[in-house]
Amino acid sequence: NKLFLQDITNRILRQMNSTRLISTLFKPRQKATALYATQAEALQHKVFCRLMKDAAHTEWGLKYGYKDIKRYQDFQRVPIQTYEEIKPYVARLRAGEQNLLWPSEICWFAKSSGTTNDKSKFLPVSKESLQDTHYQGGKDAVAIYLGQNPESRFFSGKGLILGGSHSPNLNSNHSLVGDLSAILIQNVHPLVNYIRVPSKKIALMSDFESKMEAIANSTLHTNVTNLSGVPSWMLVLIKHILEKTGKQSLEEVWPNLEVFFHGGVAFTPYREQYRQVIKSSKMHYVETYNASEGYFGTQNDPNDPAMLLMIDYGIFYEFIPLEDVGKENPRICCLEEVELNKNYAMVISTSAGLWRY
């Protein structure tokens, strides 16, 4: 019994230390995001220059003379775009053409909600946008959370990531279209698979009911410490697990569960429902803004639903005052020109080839 207790104690100590040890790897990003408050203009200018340089020899970059654009004022000659304007380029990309909007190969298309004229829109996803925007956003969400919760045991267990599915794109070889979450799971670094569940095979299943059952069966006896996904989808999974196990709250299934990273839809309508299925007062909720077009924000204050704009990713931001949206010549400003407590429409230029979108 003494040896058994000692073994259990050592395991607990290793688990406690593992998160503290791994947390040190996030210190540089915690310091980097702290600079947003004082170096926003410089950080955005660096992103701007990189985007102009990288896209200079694409069809789009040649059309608008990107190699000669040195200042933000020069960039304003590029017209504002909606999906209708880039749709012909997307059609050509999906047919296999390359170097149109971005220099690296585009073989992934994130299927997003429809426009006025289309049931769905397909947003190009480059390898650069995966790494410098979407994955970086996920890592930074964890970095911010760990900075606020030094006693966290986040890495003592695994993260349950609930995503969508993908399918072949037209008849193009090695080209796929699907939910952004499926694209992220498909391309995630192999090491990440050791700290996440379910398996990739289950995570990418297309039939939702079958997927819920498979996830439940494969994770019931796993030490899950964190959840990531859309609140509506995750709630369905949680209720299925509670029904399957006969438990009253999710912490009875996963006693070390501590945080849910959520996005995709507003969390407010779901907050009370989550209180009913996760009753622990120690549960944390972190809102993220990860869209098909890019990862834009992470909640950095647990007491404030506002999110921190992530400004050193592969995204250059511009803003249109809300009252000017729809006008023929709207006022457009860059980040350092925005006014506090004023509503704007966001305009983005990204490392996936969306320009003044």
Side-chain angles (χ1 to χ4, degrees), residues 29 130-141 295 312-313:
R29 281 306 298 170
L130 279 177
Q131 297 300 328
D132 68 22
T133 301
H134 296 292
Y135 288 138
Q136 189 60 55
K139 289 185 285 188
D140 282 349
Y295 191 111
D312 60 351
Y313 294 1

Side-chain angles (χ1 to χ4, degrees), residues 76-321:
Q76 291 177 311
R77 67 174 178 245
V78 179
I80 295 293
Q81 308 294 309
T82 67
Y83 187 72
E84 292 305 312
E85 279 77 48
I86 72 159
K87 186 178 174 182
Y89 288 91
V90 172
R92 291 169 61 192
L93 286 167
R94 292 190 67 196
E97 289 189 61
Q98 296 295 336
N99 201 39
L100 303 180
L101 300 170
W102 188 251
S104 66
E105 182 182 14
I106 303 293
C107 59
W108 285 97
F109 299 88
K111 188 176 181 181
S112 187
S113 55
T115 61
T116 303
N117 298 321
D118 288 314
K119 291 181 179 180
S120 297
K121 54 183 178 179
F122 302 90
L123 286 308
V125 178
S126 67
K127 62 180 182 182
E128 289 82 4
S129 66
L130 279 177
Q131 297 300 328
D132 68 22
T133 301
H134 296 292
Y135 288 138
Q136 189 60 55
K139 289 185 285 188
D140 282 349
V142 175
I144 291 170
Y145 172 75
L146 292 176
Q148 295 170 343
N149 299 277
E151 299 304 315
S152 168
R153 293 177 59 190
F154 187 92
F155 289 106
S156 69
K158 296 193 176 186
L160 193 160
I161 301 176
L162 182 58
S165 61
H166 58 60
S167 58
N169 164 52
L170 303 177
N171 295 315
S172 303
N173 292 330
H174 311 299
S175 182
L176 295 171
V177 61
D179 297 318
L180 173 67
S181 56
I183 295 174
L184 296 177
I185 291 172
Q186 178 67 46
N187 291 280
V188 73
H189 193 285
L191 289 177
V192 176
N193 290 317
Y194 287 104
I195 58 171
R196 57 162 289 275
V197 288
S199 67
K200 186 180 291 188
K201 180 180 179 181
I202 293 174
L204 296 176
M205 290 173 64
S206 57
D207 183 78
F208 190 72
E209 290 187 8
S210 299
K211 178 186 287 189
M212 294 300 100
E213 181 68 11
I215 291 176
N217 289 334
S218 66
T219 61
L220 286 181
H221 303 293
T222 301
N223 178 24
V224 174
T225 63
N226 58 96
L227 308 174
S228 300
V230 177
S232 52
W233 295 359
M234 188 65 73
L235 191 61
V236 173
L237 175 62
I238 292 172
K239 289 181 176 179
H240 180 71
I241 288 174
L242 294 180
E243 182 180 352
K244 189 177 183 67
T245 59
K247 304 296 185 181
Q248 297 300 308
S249 61
L250 196 60
E251 62 267 33
E252 294 179 56
V253 181
W254 298 319
N256 295 317
L257 182 66
E258 62 177 79
V259 61
F260 176 28
F261 298 98
H262 56 85
V265 297
F267 190 61
T268 300
Y270 298 94
R271 191 175 299 278
E272 184 54 39
Q273 295 183 70
Y274 272 86
R275 289 195 183 106
Q276 294 173 12
V277 296
I278 305 176
K279 298 176 182 178
S280 172
S281 60
K282 297 180 180 179
M283 185 66 181
H284 299 87
Y285 296 90
V286 178
E287 183 138 24
T288 64
Y289 189 176
N290 192 15
S292 299
E293 295 86 352
Y295 191 111
F296 306 129
T298 297
Q299 184 180 1
N300 65 326
D301 182 344
N303 300 311
D304 185 348
M307 285 178 273
L308 178 69
L309 187 70
M310 312 310 287
I311 58 175
D312 60 351
Y313 294 1
I315 303 173
F316 179 72
Y317 293 98
E318 297 176 85
F319 302 87
I320 301 176

